[in-house]
Amino acid sequence: LLEGYVVLKRPADPPHENTVVAVTESLTMLRLPGWTVRSQVGINTADSRPEPDAYVARGDRKTYAARRASPE
């Protein structure tokens, strides 16, 4: 859901999937204290719920056990 619209996505191909894995592994290797790497899970914005391939969010895995990351 982006800005109130359902957006259809094409299935990822092997090159895209490999890139997502490489980015996620690289970000994880940074071991940023107080931050967690998230991959292919939704975030909440004011009017959307995009699912980025990878991102870094404040907190740890437990922080998002009951809620999605957001830009707050």
Side-chain angles (χ1 to χ4, degrees):
L1 185 63
L2 295 176
E3 298 178 0
Y5 294 96
V6 174
V7 178
L8 299 177
K9 299 186 329 183
R10 293 185 302 179
D13 59 10
H16 178 85
E17 293 169 346
N18 190 59
T19 300
V20 171
V21 170
V23 168
T24 302
E25 288 175 352
S26 295
L27 289 171
T28 301
M29 288 173 46
L30 293 174
R31 299 187 189 278
L32 301 168
W35 296 84
T36 188
V37 176
R38 313 268 296 159
S39 180
Q40 299 183 327
V41 294
I43 62 173
N44 287 337
T45 66
D47 59 1
S48 301
R49 201 188 98 199
E51 295 177 355
D53 290 331
Y55 62 95
V56 179
R58 188 181 318 261
D60 61 19
R61 182 178 49 85
K62 295 175 189 171
T63 304
Y64 303 103
R67 67 177 183 93
R68 290 186 184 90
S70 65
E72 299 168 348

